[in-house]
Amino acid sequence: MARITSFEQYQSEYKKSVENPEAFWEEIANEFSWKKKWDKVLDWNFEKPEINWFIGGKLNITENCLDRHLEKRADQVAFHFEPNDPNENSRAITYRQLYEDVCRFANVLKSKGIKKGDRVCLYMPMIPELAIAVLACARIGAIHSVVFAGFSATSLGGRIQDMHCCAVVTTDGAYRGAKPIPIKAVVDDALDVCPSVENVIVYKRTGEEIKMIDGRDTWWQDEMKKVSAECPAEIMDSEDTLFILYTSGSTGQPKGVVHTCGGYMVYTKYTFENVFQYNDKEVFWCTADIGWITGHSYIVYGPLLAGATSVMFEGVPTFPDAGRFWQVIDKYKVNIFYTAPTAIRALQASGLDFVNLYKLNSLRILGTVGEPINEEAWEWYHKNIGKGNCPIVDTWWQTETGGILISPIAGITKTKPGFATLPLPGVQPVLVDEKGNVIEGNNVEGNLCIKFPWPSIIRTTYGNHERCRTTYFTTYENLYFTGDGCRRDEDGYYRITGRVDDVMNVSGHRIGTAEVESAINMHFDIVESAVVGYPHDIKGQGIYAYVISTKEHDDIEMLKKEILAEVTKIIGPIAKPDKIQVVRGLPKTRSGKIMRRILRKIAEGEISNLGDTSTLLDPSVVDEIVKGRV
Ligand code: PRX
């Protein structure tokens, strides 16, 4: 029985999962429909790394998301689609309709010659067709790679090139907040440098004028009319790639995290059902975008595998006003609500008037994800949204982990504000010091690693396995390194303190400092830059950029605007620095290394204690930077 119903049961399941992980996961995997069962549950080696789960097993994840539910749930709603504009009709998509649309779109993909193993890029807003496209790829064994539709043409093009995609699925435009956003135009720009793309399928969402290229571009709605609503599911190996999702690291360009079919399926359903304690007929709402891992695992796969009913929301929390989330919760009688701390802080700042207009009495469980939640926001969420009686699950995980690793089990694990609490069964966290020594006991702090594989652990980084090895598996021997710092308190509860590498977490979005620097450096007048994160009331972290210009600028504001435009062009608006300071020099050691520690302190305003600056090549730059702080 995979469902945990008491704390004692959590403890015994946890124990079982550590003492005999293979037997533990085998029992859970047995609950799914497989074309062929595995020959062996697990083989792993963190040195290489090479991790295989359910070896020899054959399956198609979409049969478990869709076909399996047709007998009992054909007429149950899979997705309630809530459009950006509250006056536009919502859509309720049943499991049968979803099944048929996925099959149809799978046939459309096939009609374009797309087959198992091909990479298909999805660049779409939050509409049901994005979930349909994801599942249609999985149906035929094509590898989907969703790119968040806020990324720029340059970012999109880079990812498409990295994966050699053969097709892109997109829309004409998008509605998000007050003004429509171009989508297809971004794809057109991106494709200028992507000769591998032979097909672009465009779903008409806004009806705006767009350019269609003969022989390459076709309309989703036209193509869907030509095909049947039956499509046999491709038989996949457990370890065949299901999807690639790009994420930022501390160096270089974003890397394509690879997840595979069997383990990801088992883990996302297990964690969805347990963490959120989902009950049949309840309504679940995860506000993430499918462009991020949270949307993959807890809008698409986890809930569908569990046969759940979810809300899918196209818009933003503040349109038409800051009461939108609460209005949608009442409208669909949402029972379980899962969002990001940054959204909670923003809505908290908008005041209680927006909250008090709504009942919110359907809510049973609240969740957060993506960044540490400060105690004040946690208390506000608990008191005003949960009315003091909804447990909050603060779920810690990453793109690379595929599913939630450390989190309370709703209503079962005693919570503490700001703590992700305890590892889920199958997850074996350890804290290590800088040298890699494991820190035992409680009331300790260190770098968070995991010492044993769970089924949805990252398998590789697309096209560059060595990068996967060096990023996650070489910092500490035989451990998966998360990049996060963490405290374990006197009760053994885990509190994530934030990234210990050069990765920022801005409004729950993961952004590498190196990426932003290289975008800034594309500005003609900028010779060098250094980017750090600093505490920000709403965003969690803001981006502070120190830039060196080749020449004196009369109009510094203009230069800053141009830099922002450059970053928007190269990455997207989410990576725009909040503060830009033009400096004469950067604090560097004699070997030329930028002392980011000092820059971080200055950005944080901690200028009284900058530490030892005597080893710097030119200590005087520090005084200048402090004086010119913005
Ligand atoms: O620093 C941690 C933070 O987000 C990072 C992972 O980002 P990403 O791959 O984009 O996935 C986000 C959604 C799963 C982590 O390394 N993070 C995520 N959840 C939490 C968190 N930090 C603190 N508390 C959390 N609950």
Side-chain angles (χ1 to χ4, degrees):
M1 170 54 194
R3 174 70 175 260
I4 293 167
T5 53
S6 68
F7 193 69
E8 291 66 40
Q9 195 193 350
Y10 158 74
Q11 288 175 311
S12 69
E13 291 290 304
Y14 188 80
K15 191 159 174 274
K16 206 160 88 187
S17 79
V18 173
E19 285 172 355
N20 194 344
E22 299 194 26
F24 175 82
W25 287 113
E26 178 152 51
E27 196 182 322
I28 292 162
N30 271 325
E31 293 170 15
F32 293 80
S33 128
W34 296 78
K35 298 273 194 196
K36 173 186 168 284
K37 289 269 173 86
W38 49 93
D39 307 312
K40 189 167 182 232
V41 177
L42 171 67
D43 240 342
W44 67 289
N45 174 329
F46 272 179
E47 243 169 77
K48 290 182 176 173
E50 197 178 309
I51 303 145
N52 293 301
W53 279 95
F54 310 112
I55 300 150
K58 305 283 176 196
L59 74 153
N60 188 293
I61 195 168
T62 68
E63 290 194 327
N64 286 278
C65 290
L66 302 168
D67 309 44
R68 210 161 64 106
H69 299 312
L70 292 182
E71 200 183 314
K72 281 204 202 124
R73 306 182 188 276
D75 297 322
Q76 181 194 314
V77 173
F79 289 118
H80 287 290
F81 172 61
E82 172 68 12
N84 176 63
D85 179 352
N87 298 315
E88 188 183 326
N89 286 339
S90 50
R91 283 159 63 187
I93 299 154
T94 64
Y95 271 91
R96 174 175 306 288
Q97 288 165 339
L98 188 62
Y99 164 82
E100 288 180 358
D101 277 350
V102 167
C103 285
R104 268 196 206 98
F105 196 63
N107 284 327
V108 170
L109 294 173
K110 274 180 156 174
S111 76
K112 307 279 179 196
I114 298 165
K115 53 184 192 314
K116 180 174 176 178
D118 288 347
R119 275 81 53 215
V120 177
C121 176
L122 313 180
Y123 185 78
M124 301 171 83
M126 278 290 289
I127 54 174
E129 285 67 26
L130 173 52
I132 291 166
V134 161
L135 294 163
C137 288
R139 187 83 178 169
I140 64 165
I143 298 168
H144 57 77
S145 186
V146 184
V147 176
F148 172 62
F151 279 117
S152 68
T154 311
S155 284
L156 175 63
R159 286 156 168 79
I160 293 172
Q161 273 180 308
D162 191 54
M163 291 180 282
H164 300 281
C165 291
C166 63
V168 177
V169 185
T170 189
T171 65
D172 46 358
Y175 295 123
R176 231 176 115 73
K179 53 176 198 291
I181 302 169
I183 297 285
K184 173 65 163 50
V186 180
V187 172
D188 288 338
D189 279 356
L191 292 189
D192 279 347
V193 292
C194 303
S196 62
V197 174
E198 289 171 3
N199 282 287
V200 177
I201 306 168
V202 188
Y203 180 83
K204 187 178 276 195
R205 172 67 184 114
T206 59
E208 68 198 72
E209 190 85 6
I210 55 161
K211 196 170 72 187
M212 292 292 277
I213 294 181
D214 244 6
R216 189 194 75 179
D217 303 355
T218 45
W219 288 105
W220 170 299
Q221 282 93 336
D222 293 346
E223 299 299 301
M224 289 288 263
K225 285 184 199 136
K226 302 179 192 162
V227 291
S228 102
E230 285 294 329
C231 176
E234 184 76 32
I235 298 177
M236 304 295 284
D237 190 273
S238 286
E239 286 298 339
D240 279 338
T241 298
L242 175 63
F243 66 86
I244 303 168
L245 188 59
Y246 282 79
T247 192
S248 298
S250 47
T251 55
Q253 290 307 307
K255 46 192 174 301
V257 171
V258 170
H259 283 290
T260 58
C261 297
Y264 180 82
M265 171 177 81
V266 170
Y267 198 75
T268 50
K269 174 172 184 272
Y270 177 76
T271 50
F272 172 75
E273 287 179 339
N274 279 294
V275 169
F276 300 105
Q277 291 286 300
Y278 180 84
N279 296 318
D280 226 18
K281 302 207 167 52
E282 284 192 318
V283 179
F284 175 78
W285 183 18
C286 166
T287 68
D289 192 292
I290 295 176
W292 312 113
I293 191 70
T294 308
H296 280 62
S297 303
Y298 300 109
I299 295 178
V300 182
Y301 288 111
L304 293 177
L305 287 163
T309 296
S310 292
V311 173
M312 184 173 174
F313 177 45
E314 183 180 33
V316 295
T318 47
F319 178 80
D321 62 45
R324 188 67 191 277
F325 272 1
W326 323 132
Q327 176 245 328
V328 174
I329 288 172
D330 275 7
K331 177 170 175 184
Y332 297 101
K333 304 202 167 22
V334 171
N335 306 107
I336 306 169
F337 179 65
Y338 189 34
T339 196
T342 193
I344 298 168
R345 289 190 296 263
L347 297 173
Q348 179 183 6
S350 307
L352 280 177
D353 287 352
F354 289 107
V355 180
N356 292 338
L357 288 172
Y358 304 98
K359 291 201 193 82
L360 304 179
N361 56 357
S362 56
L363 287 174
R364 189 172 69 81
I365 283 154
L366 302 174
T368 70
V369 58
E371 44 174 330
I373 180 162
N374 47 310
E375 244 178 272
E376 197 198 340
W378 195 100
E379 296 291 358
W380 184 87
Y381 194 35
H382 188 251
K383 176 166 174 237
N384 298 296
I385 307 306
K387 312 294 178 200
N389 54 28
C390 298
I392 296 180
V393 290
D394 175 353
T395 64
W396 173 84
W397 58 297
Q398 312 177 295
T399 306
E400 295 86 343
T401 71
I404 299 166
L405 294 196
I406 304 183
S407 166
I409 294 183
I412 288 173
T413 314
K414 213 164 153 270
T415 57
K416 273 188 208 179
F419 282 79
T421 74
L422 298 170
L424 296 181
V427 178
Q428 302 186 34
V430 290
L431 301 184
V432 297
D433 65 19
E434 292 301 328
K435 294 199 185 91
N437 301 314
V438 171
I439 307 169
E440 306 281 356
N442 288 342
N443 245 328
V444 290
E445 192 161 341
N447 289 345
L448 178 61
C449 296
I450 318 283
K451 71 172 183 195
F452 195 87
W454 60 99
S456 64
I457 187 173
I458 179 175
R459 298 304 199 271
T460 189
T461 43
Y462 190 76
N464 190 348
H465 191 64
E466 182 58 12
R467 198 166 173 207
C468 171
R469 192 178 76 85
T470 52
T471 310
Y472 307 105
F473 296 94
T474 56
T475 317
Y476 305 111
E477 205 179 325
N478 263 320
L479 297 173
Y480 165 80
F481 176 44
T482 64
D484 280 320
C486 182
R487 201 161 86 70
R488 187 165 54 219
D489 78 354
E490 59 284 1
D491 296 325
Y493 270 34
Y494 291 85
R495 176 184 203 132
I496 313 300
T497 49
R499 301 288 304 196
V500 292
D501 53 9
D502 289 322
V503 171
M504 299 174 289
N505 193 325
V506 181
S507 300
H509 301 320
R510 194 166 147 180
I511 301 169
T513 52
E515 258 178 286
V516 182
E517 286 163 7
S518 82
I520 293 174
N521 297 350
M522 296 302 278
H523 187 286
F524 192 75
D525 292 341
I526 301 299
V527 270
E528 196 174 9
S529 62
V531 164
V532 295
Y534 70 97
H536 186 288
D537 283 351
I538 304 285
K539 297 177 167 188
Q541 272 191 311
I543 302 178
Y544 196 119
Y546 301 89
V547 304
I548 303 176
S549 170
T550 48
K551 57 176 196 214
E552 288 280 320
H553 279 264
D554 299 335
D555 191 347
I556 291 283
E557 289 313 309
M558 183 54 105
L559 175 68
K560 290 185 180 177
K561 268 195 197 142
E562 287 170 12
I563 291 172
L564 294 181
E566 199 68 48
V567 174
T568 305
K569 190 177 125 219
I570 309 267
I571 308 176
I574 57 171
K576 279 197 300 194
D578 299 272
K579 295 183 178 180
I580 300 173
Q581 181 178 353
V582 183
V583 296
R584 187 180 54 85
L586 292 166
K588 285 189 180 169
T589 59
R590 293 203 177 91
S591 60
K593 196 169 163 270
I594 296 174
M595 295 277 280
R596 288 173 183 280
R597 177 181 58 77
I598 295 176
L599 293 176
R600 255 184 241 121
K601 285 214 159 156
I602 298 173
E604 284 165 12
E606 274 195 44
I607 46 178
S608 57
N609 175 25
L610 291 177
D612 184 12
T613 56
S614 64
T615 56
L616 292 178
L617 193 61
D618 177 5
S620 73
V621 295
V622 175
D623 298 335
E624 278 183 43
I625 295 176
V626 169
K627 272 196 211 113
R629 248 184 100 235
V630 289

